Amino acid sequence: MTHHPDDSPDYGQPAGAPDGPAPWSGAPVPAPRYGQYVHGQASADPRGAQRGGHDGAAQRRRRPRRVGGMPVTWTLIGICVVMWGLQWLTSLFTPYSLTSILGYAPSLTDTQPWRMLTSGFVHAMPSPLHLLLNMYTLYLFGRMLEPLLGTWRMAVLFVVSVLGGSVGVLLLGNPWVLVIGASGGVFGLFGAMFVFMRHFKNNITPIAVLIAINLAFGFLVGGIAWQAHVGGLIAGAVVALAMLPGLRRRF
């Protein structure tokens, strides 16, 4: 047992002595258990320093904090899936279209700037392929990035990447063409992953190849807003660079 100087002294036996009969009672004295030490001495158990004392507290302070789960990723996926269901219901039972109401076109920036964000949560219809591809990619990269970043950083990264994708469309796209989908946010995750892998000196070839293939796909296949991909990629990389100092303090 460990005695603190403020503890009331035990007059029945010396402070720091093992529990059991006093050594002068004639009864056998039990051997000290591993991990049992007097205040100021090292523990006989190599794990004892982690259990108590100043050394254990220092190790706990130095140990990096680990963040588990991916609530932001699942929330984003849930929002997109629910919105896609609402797109179907609106088209079936009303004369309106959520795609037209929430999608973004550069010509609407001055009057309805909120579309730059809402466009990232609606997807093409009637096929679910657009939604499924984006959500699967969001899941894959969210499970890698969110435990590293934490919840609020993950949310900021995705939202800023969606806005960055809309800025790319604003600067490079057709002012009258409506753009929808979470691709800008997904490409922002690509950009952030590239920055983090390079910073932590991991092999960047796989992520570089993935980015190159997806960018080329946007340029070669019609009906894809490559401008949103480029804008989201750049925005995600910039946000990741800005987050690096905070990550160094956490780990």
Side-chain angles (χ1 to χ4, degrees):
M1 61 188 295
T2 303
H3 288 274
H4 192 274
D6 295 332
D7 291 344
S8 299
D10 182 1
Y11 293 102
Q13 57 181 343
D19 295 332
W24 54 85
S25 65
V29 180
R33 297 185 299 272
Y34 284 123
Q36 188 177 27
Y37 60 96
V38 179
H39 188 72
Q41 295 179 346
S43 170
D45 184 0
R47 296 171 297 177
Q50 297 180 12
R51 295 175 181 169
H54 300 294
D55 292 341
Q59 287 191 14
R60 285 192 296 271
R61 284 194 298 268
R62 291 193 297 266
R63 192 175 301 146
R65 291 181 295 172
R66 296 180 180 178
V67 181
M70 34 190 267
V72 172
T73 301
W74 284 121
T75 299
L76 293 172
I77 292 173
I79 291 173
C80 290
V81 171
V82 169
M83 290 304 303
W84 198 75
L86 291 176
Q87 286 177 258
W88 263 103
L89 292 175
T90 304
S91 64
L92 289 175
F93 298 106
T94 74
Y96 303 104
S97 167
L98 283 184
T99 303
S100 300
I101 295 172
L102 300 178
Y104 172 67
S107 59
L108 300 173
T109 305
D110 292 337
T111 57
Q112 302 177 45
W114 44 266
R115 289 174 176 261
M116 299 181 76
L117 180 60
T118 58
S119 61
F121 296 93
V122 290
H123 289 80
M125 295 180 61
S127 171
L129 183 61
H130 185 209
L131 173 72
L132 292 176
L133 287 175
N134 277 339
M135 294 305 98
Y136 180 64
T137 309
L138 174 57
Y139 166 77
L140 290 179
F141 279 80
R143 66 185 297 185
M144 292 184 282
L145 286 171
E146 189 168 349
L148 171 70
L149 298 175
T151 53
W152 73 266
R153 287 184 178 89
M154 182 65 184
V156 168
L157 173 62
F158 187 83
V159 169
V160 174
S161 298
V162 170
L163 294 174
S166 296
V167 171
V169 174
L170 173 65
L171 298 177
L172 304 172
N174 188 322
W176 307 105
V177 173
L178 206 66
V179 176
I180 58 174
S183 300
V186 169
F187 267 80
L189 304 187
F190 291 171
M193 181 65 74
F194 180 88
V195 169
F196 293 140
M197 291 183 72
R198 182 175 177 83
H199 174 75
F200 292 113
K201 302 189 184 307
N202 292 323
N203 182 14
I204 63 172
T205 301
I207 186 64
V209 171
L210 180 67
I211 291 172
I213 291 174
N214 280 275
L215 283 177
F217 189 75
F219 283 105
L220 297 176
V221 178
I224 295 178
W226 60 266
Q227 302 90 342
H229 296 178
V230 173
L233 182 68
I234 295 173
V238 171
V239 171
L241 286 171
M243 289 180 176
L244 280 178
L247 292 180
R248 293 192 194 103
R249 288 191 294 269
R250 291 179 74 236
F251 292 92

